[in-house]
């Protein structure tokens, strides 16, 4: 055995294959079952930079609404690394002419494993809600940017470059390839000239496995669909194993793309519908967003007082820690524990600078959340001109789409037939079904009230604003079937309660604005037969 080992050590590629059989580690995952990971992947997992993902919730504030959503970025990243390997190995087995090497397989797996290294506390809350307000100069910063920096930091700090070379990787080209897969260019930027350095154009399909900018169909979604649905208690109708089974690479205008069987087009529409449903029912849930707004407010209050030691002995505040990977490694969801239970050597009667942030978090713990005032669909871009910013600072716009803004993702997806598996083509939506959506994105304006004592005034003012700007709100809907008014009540600033079927105009004093205003409630009949106020 020792003689065999000496021979293997002389050839890096043989070493990679040898170790993959003898030293793979088995993970028992609740979603994918027992999975084996290459020893190099295990070495990456066993680093502080990767282990920090154990303390970052996958769904941010969703855990405060869905008790089962306790899973973290750690297990999701392992799942994506596994599925990335499954897809590329399937293509390698079915299409040897693609010349997929063991190096390619290992690089794709590493990219899947490390794609979320840059997530901050509470995942998308950090880069989507906290960072734009805390650091306006870098409001476009995203976690993918930090993932690239964190990956470099992980490799350098833990001396993994030599390990990678031992397992057959060629540096620096393979490191460049891995980072290009973690954050690929948008499809529009890659249409003319080949923009990547890690691999040639004949392996363009490898860039569609981890993060697919062509149509959004990638193993990242496959894992979080299955994993999030499992922990949320929501049924997942998409079978990613079936997609992997039917996946095939075809040439399209000189570039190779991952294609699916023509009969799978309806299932892919269901996949994007599942994504939209998860956002509507869980990720953008009214109470979830209320909790996340409160966490964001607390982090903003604590920004300058949560200090983390970075490289060279520098000390960075919460919003600047992302610029130093040594400091960023220490930043996880546990930051709220530092706010709730600050360690202070000062007098116990001295007010802590974190007191305001702590009070907001204590409200979350005692379920005294920001109250939902109302929501309306935003149909035009000019609504912000008439928005009373002074009185409604707690406002968010929720976007629900199929992953490509207002575009149909299937329009950029290629298919093949059983009779001709080498020819790729697109399927017009008219040939799929006449019941498919016409619009693929919508924006919903939501308003929250921080003070529950002002809730009734807030609701009345919001409904009046919607009426004045021709926005439809839930409270104005009538029963289409019975054609009669639902007994919804509007609260006026005077404390008087009035039903929505009152049609007279009256002057009211608004406790929020301090002004007297005339609110008229008008009933009109729509062409559809739906009555509104």
């Amino acid at each position: 055995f020792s003689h065999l080992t000496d021979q293997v050590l002389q050839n890096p590629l043989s070493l990679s294959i040898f170790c993959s059989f003898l030293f793979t580690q088995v993970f028992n995952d609740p979603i994918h079952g027992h999975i084996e990971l290459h020893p190099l992947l295990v070495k990456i997992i066993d680093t502080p930079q990767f282990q920090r993902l154990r303390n970052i919730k996958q769904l941010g504030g969703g855990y405060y609404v869905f008790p089962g959503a306790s899973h973290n970025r750690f297990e999701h990243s392992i799942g994506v690394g596994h599925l990335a390997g499954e897809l590329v190995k399937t293509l390698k087995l079915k299409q040897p002419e693609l010349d997929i090497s063991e190096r390619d397989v290992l690089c794709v797996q590493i990219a899947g494993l490390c794609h979320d290294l840059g997530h901050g506390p509470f995942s998308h809350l950090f880069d989507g809600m906290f960072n734009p307000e805390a650091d306006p100069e870098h409001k476009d910063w995203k976690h993918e940017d930090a993932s690239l920096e964190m990956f470099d930091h992980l490799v350098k700090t833990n001396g993994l470059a030599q390990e990678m070379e031992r397992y057959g990787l060629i540096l620096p080209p393979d490191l460049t390839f891995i980072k290009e897969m973690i954050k690929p260019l948008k499809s529009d930027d890659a249409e003319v000239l080949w923009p990547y350095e890690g691999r040639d154009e004949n392996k363009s399909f490898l860039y569609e496995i981890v993060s697919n900018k062509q149509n959004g169909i990638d193993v990242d979604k496959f894992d979080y669909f299955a994993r999030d649905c499992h922990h949320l208690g929501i049924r997942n109708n998409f079978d990613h194993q079936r997609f992997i089974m039917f996946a095939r690479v075809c040439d399209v205008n000189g570039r190779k793309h991952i294609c699916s069987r023509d009969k799978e087009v309806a299932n892919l529409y269901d996949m994007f519908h599942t994504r939209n449903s998860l956002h509507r029912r869980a990720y953008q849930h009214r109470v979830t967003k209320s909790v996340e707004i409160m966490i964001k407010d607390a982090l903003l209050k604590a920004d300058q007082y949560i200090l983390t030691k970075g490289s060279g002995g520098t000390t960075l505040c919460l919003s600047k820690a992302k610029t130093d990977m040594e400091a960023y490694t220490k930043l996880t969801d546990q930051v709220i524990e530092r706010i709730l239970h600050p360690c202070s050597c000062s007098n116990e009667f001295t007010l802590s600078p974190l007191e305001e942030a702590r009070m907001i978090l204590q409200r979350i713990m005692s379920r005294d959340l920001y109250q939902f005032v109302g929501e309306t669909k935003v149909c035009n871009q000019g609504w912000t001109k008439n928005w009373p910013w002074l009185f409604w600072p707690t406002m968010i716009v929720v976007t629900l789409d199929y992953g490509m803004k207002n575009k149909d993702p299937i329009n950029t997806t290629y298919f093949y037939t059983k009779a001709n598996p080498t020819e790729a083509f697109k399927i017009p939506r008219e040939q799929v079904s006449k019941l498919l959506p016409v619009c693929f994105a919508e924006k919903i304006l939501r308003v929250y009230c921080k003070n529950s004592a002002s809730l009734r005034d807030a609701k009345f003012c919001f409904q009046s604003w919607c009426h004045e700007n021709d926005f439809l709100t839930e409270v104005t809907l009538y029963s289409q079937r019975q054609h009669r008014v639902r007994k919804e009540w509007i609260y006026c600033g005077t404390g008087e309660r009035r039903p929505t079927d009152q049609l007279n105009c009256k002057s009211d004093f608004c406790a929020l604005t301090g002004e007297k205003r005339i609110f008229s409630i008008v009933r009109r009949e729509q062409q559809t037969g739906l009555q509104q106020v």
Side-chain angles (χ1 to χ4, degrees), residues 152-172:
D152 285 335
H153 180 65
L154 181 151
V155 173
K156 181 180 179 180
T157 305
N158 299 280
L160 290 184
Q162 185 177 358
E163 289 291 328
M164 290 178 170
E165 291 177 337
R166 284 183 58 202
Y167 287 107
L169 298 189
I170 300 176
L171 308 185

Side-chain angles (χ1 to χ4, degrees), residues 178-193:
I178 292 169
K179 291 193 289 184
E180 288 174 342
M181 287 188 288
I182 291 175
K183 189 185 179 183
L185 299 175
K186 296 180 180 179
S187 59
D188 296 339
D189 300 330
E191 285 183 355
V192 184
L193 299 175

Side-chain angles (χ1 to χ4, degrees), residues 204-224:
S204 56
F205 61 92
L206 293 177
Y207 291 90
E208 300 176 359
I209 294 176
V210 176
S211 179
N212 190 347
K213 298 301 182 181
Q214 176 76 15
N215 51 38
I217 303 173
D218 50 48
V219 295
D220 181 23
K221 286 186 179 62
F222 296 171
D223 183 84
Y224 82 67

Side-chain angles (χ1 to χ4, degrees), residues 1-2 4-5 8 14-26 36-39 42 167:
F1 180 79
S2 61
L4 175 62
T5 304
V8 169
S14 300
L15 176 64
S16 175
I17 299 174
F18 178 75
C19 290
S20 65
F21 282 104
L22 292 184
F23 304 115
T24 56
Q25 186 163 328
V26 178
E36 287 185 296
L37 293 183
H38 189 280
V42 177
Y167 287 107

Side-chain angles (χ1 to χ4, degrees), residues 30-192:
I31 307 303
H32 308 299
H34 290 84
I35 59 179
E36 287 185 296
L37 293 183
H38 189 280
L40 180 56
L41 302 184
V42 177
K43 287 184 177 294
I44 292 174
I45 291 172
D46 294 337
T47 62
Q49 292 75 26
F50 194 91
Q51 291 292 319
R52 72 181 282 269
L53 299 180
R54 288 183 182 272
N55 297 312
I56 297 178
K57 286 286 180 288
Q58 173 82 3
L59 299 187
Y63 182 41
Y64 291 91
V65 180
F66 298 89
S70 58
H71 55 303
N72 304 298
R73 289 283 163 184
F74 179 82
E75 48 264 42
H76 165 65
S77 297
I78 292 177
V80 175
H82 164 69
L83 289 181
E86 291 294 296
L87 179 51
V88 71
K89 288 175 184 177
T90 299
L91 297 175
K92 175 180 170 65
L93 180 64
K94 290 186 176 182
Q95 296 180 264
E97 68 275 10
L98 296 176
D99 194 27
I100 301 174
S101 65
E102 290 296 327
R103 280 177 53 211
D104 296 332
V105 173
L106 190 53
C107 286
V108 170
Q109 288 178 306
I110 293 174
L113 187 70
C114 299
H115 78 289
D116 272 349
L117 283 177
H119 267 295
F122 298 95
S123 294
H124 292 288
L125 184 154
F126 189 81
D127 58 344
M129 299 175 67
F130 167 75
N131 184 71
E133 294 189 36
D135 191 9
E137 293 183 3
H138 303 94
K139 62 180 181 180
D140 295 328
W141 175 88
K142 299 298 180 185
H143 73 271
E144 292 90 350
D145 301 314
S147 292
L148 301 183
E149 293 187 52
M150 185 65 79
F151 178 70
D152 285 335
H153 180 65
L154 181 151
V155 173
K156 181 180 179 180
T157 305
N158 299 280
L160 290 184
Q162 185 177 358
E163 289 291 328
M164 290 178 170
E165 291 177 337
R166 284 183 58 202
Y167 287 107
L169 298 189
I170 300 176
L171 308 185
D174 284 344
L175 285 179
T176 301
F177 177 44
I178 292 169
K179 291 193 289 184
E180 288 174 342
M181 287 188 288
I182 291 175
K183 189 185 179 183
L185 299 175
K186 296 180 180 179
S187 59
D188 296 339
D189 300 330
E191 285 183 355
V192 184

